[in-house]
Amino acid sequence: MKKFVAAAIICAAFSNAAYAVDDKTRDAIQALKFTKASAYAKAIDQYCFADHPFATQPLADAAAQEAEFRQEMDGNEAATDIIADADRSAAEHLKVDQSACAPAATFVDGVVATIDDSKQHLAAIKQTFADAKAAEEKAAQAEKRSAACRDMQSSADTAGLEDLVSKRMALLDCADVLGVDNIAKVDARIEKLRADQKTADDAKQKQAADAKAAAAALDAKRAAEVAANMAKPAVKPAIKPAAEMTFVGRWDQIDGSCRGRLWDFNTRTYDGTPIRNVERNGNSYRVELSDGYAFELRDVTKRNLTWYSLESGDSFRLKRCR
């Protein structure tokens, strides 16, 4: 029975294999007889030699491991179905043909007898699966890395300067995938982007300097104009003929007898302040003094006018002195 246990342990090593195998290895797997031997052992116990149990737990365990191994290999039939099919086939065989009991017992004993001899063969199968697994995992990792490198290169092709510089070391590690000259292309693009950025920065700095210089020049021009205006002598306003200025003369607020407060209007001064400008609008005049103060003389006739302050809103009705 120890031989059955050893076989079960060896088969268990393959229960998780899901990798492609060649025809030679597949034939070696198909040569395993634990499932069939276990099925016939059960049928022998049921229909042939009930006093000598052929079916044992170690043999059943070995059969289960082989069935799982075949399931992993083919992927089409569940392990429980493989065992059930074998059990049904062996039972149907021995149930209807008792003469097959002896050959069946010989077959079971033969499987048990060859277990030790199968260990080395099974170890070779195990190594084949291990090599296939390692090769497929290595290929998968290589493809995954290759895809990652290509994606990174695609991203780098459209990256800006800062992002491209950050990707450089990773792209260097991908030289075996992207080519040994790829990093030289990346470096050349980095240098071009740096040159473009410097050109753009220089242009911005020049633009800012030009704007600053233009603003300073404008300020200097304005300051010079102000200084020049302040340095000019005061220009006396042109005195218009008295005939054109109906308001010229003396006026009072009462009856024109000039016994009260007098208002003396001329084209040169007003209350001692020089007159800068006089603008006429019909029968009204706007008078601007040199200190910026302005007033209006409205509805001026030969006898009457209204004095109006543009600053305070005060107004006085005046009569010409007789």
Side-chain angles (χ1 to χ4, degrees):
M1 294 305 149
K2 292 182 179 179
K3 295 179 181 180
F4 290 121
V5 176
I9 293 174
I10 293 171
C11 284
F14 306 115
S15 61
N16 293 325
Y19 298 89
V21 294
D22 56 24
D23 291 339
K24 182 178 180 180
T25 304
R26 186 181 299 275
D27 292 341
I29 295 170
Q30 295 292 349
L32 298 175
K33 302 298 182 182
F34 299 122
T35 303
K36 184 176 181 180
S38 178
Y40 269 102
K42 296 174 187 177
I44 289 170
D45 288 346
Q46 185 174 1
Y47 301 108
C48 301
F49 314 117
D51 57 336
H52 179 76
F54 275 74
T56 61
Q57 189 60 45
L59 181 56
D61 292 340
Q65 296 295 336
E66 179 189 335
E68 291 176 3
F69 190 21
R70 293 180 186 278
Q71 177 188 349
E72 292 291 338
M73 179 186 67
D74 295 327
N76 296 322
E77 189 176 6
T80 54
D81 294 336
I82 294 173
I83 293 175
D85 289 344
D87 289 346
R88 182 168 51 255
S89 177
E92 291 175 352
H93 184 194
L94 298 187
K95 182 178 180 180
V96 299
D97 186 6
Q98 295 292 313
S99 64
C101 288
T106 300
F107 167 71
V108 173
D109 288 338
V111 171
V112 173
T114 59
I115 289 179
D116 287 341
D117 295 335
S118 301
K119 288 181 181 180
Q120 184 176 359
H121 183 60
L122 292 173
I125 297 175
K126 178 181 178 181
Q127 186 59 49
T128 299
F129 270 90
D131 292 344
K133 178 180 179 181
E136 290 192 15
E137 288 180 348
K138 183 177 181 180
Q141 289 296 326
E143 179 58 29
K144 183 178 180 181
R145 180 171 177 274
S146 178
C149 288
R150 289 193 295 270
D151 289 344
M152 185 182 302
Q153 181 62 57
S154 178
S155 175
D157 288 341
T158 57
L161 176 59
E162 184 176 351
D163 192 21
L164 183 59
V165 170
S166 69
K167 295 178 185 294
R168 184 184 181 280
M169 289 305 298
L171 290 171
L172 181 60
D173 291 339
C174 288
D176 58 319
V177 175
L178 303 174
V180 294
D181 61 337
N182 183 67
I183 197 64
K185 296 178 181 178
V186 171
D187 287 342
R189 185 161 175 263
I190 288 175
E191 290 304 315
K192 183 179 184 305
L193 290 174
R194 282 176 174 164
D196 292 345
Q197 180 174 305
K198 184 177 185 304
T199 300
D201 290 343
D202 291 346
K204 288 181 180 179
Q205 291 178 0
K206 184 178 184 304
Q207 185 179 8
D210 291 346
K212 185 176 180 179
L218 181 60
D219 289 343
K221 180 180 178 182
R222 290 174 179 171
E225 290 175 351
V226 171
N229 289 334
M230 292 181 66
K232 290 180 180 178
V235 179
K236 295 182 179 180
I239 300 176
K240 297 180 181 180
E244 295 181 6
M245 304 295 180
T246 312
F247 63 84
V248 174
R250 296 196 303 167
W251 306 74
D252 71 11
Q253 288 181 247
I254 303 177
D255 54 8
S257 61
C258 294
R259 291 191 298 271
R261 178 185 175 187
L262 294 180
W263 301 69
D264 189 2
F265 295 133
N266 58 65
T267 58
R268 296 183 301 276
T269 63
Y270 173 76
D271 284 348
T273 303
I275 293 175
R276 177 183 296 169
N277 189 41
V278 178
E279 295 180 3
R280 182 173 183 176
N281 184 15
N283 291 332
S284 298
Y285 300 84
R286 182 182 183 278
V287 182
E288 181 180 353
L289 306 182
S290 61
D291 61 2
Y293 183 80
F295 60 88
E296 290 185 354
L297 301 175
R298 299 178 175 179
D299 302 325
V300 180
T301 66
K302 292 182 179 181
R303 298 295 181 185
N304 302 288
L305 65 79
T306 298
W307 182 92
Y308 177 78
S309 173
L310 294 173
E311 181 177 305
S312 65
D314 295 335
S315 65
F316 302 98
R317 184 67 175 168
L318 305 181
K319 295 181 182 294
R320 187 186 293 274
C321 292
R322 294 191 295 274

